[in-house]
Amino acid sequence: MGSLEARIPVCSVPGLEEQHANIKSGFGQNTRTAGEVNMEPRVTELETHLKYIRRDMDEVRGDVKTIKHRLAYSAGATAVVLALLGWVANSRFDQLVTLISH
């Protein structure tokens, strides 16, 4: 019977330094295959959209702050008006009762 030993072809595997050098040298090249698109205009467009989103968010923050101040002012004014009405009703309670009962 023959030897069952598998024959594996010997091939060289490039070292990490060589792979790193190949990758580094590929960054400067601007060769594109048929299916690739240029990403720079798309990235610029996204940056522009992000700038507008941030500007709009700043406007919304300002609007929310203004609404909070108005609500606080309105709540305070309502409390003062109700307190005045309660004071008037308490001081003139007997006159109110006579007016309602007639």
Side-chain angles (χ1 to χ4, degrees), residues 21-102:
N22 289 339
I23 291 172
K24 267 188 162 180
S25 66
F27 281 136
Q29 298 173 353
N30 196 9
T31 58
R32 290 188 207 104
T33 59
E36 292 184 22
V37 293
N38 191 1
M39 293 297 289
E40 188 173 332
R42 297 175 76 188
V43 171
T44 304
E45 184 178 356
L46 287 173
E47 288 173 345
T48 304
H49 287 304
L50 183 62
K51 182 173 66 173
Y52 289 136
I53 289 170
R54 286 179 186 239
R55 184 197 64 196
D56 292 343
M57 288 301 296
D58 289 339
E59 289 179 12
V60 168
R61 283 188 189 113
D63 293 343
V64 168
K65 190 181 287 188
T66 302
I67 291 169
K68 282 182 180 179
H69 289 291
R70 288 181 182 175
L71 284 174
Y73 178 78
S74 298
T78 302
V80 168
V81 168
L82 288 175
L84 284 173
L85 287 174
W87 177 71
V88 168
N90 191 27
S91 65
R92 303 292 182 174
F93 185 72
D94 55 341
Q95 290 177 354
L96 288 173
V97 171
T98 57
L99 281 174
I100 293 173
S101 63
H102 281 100

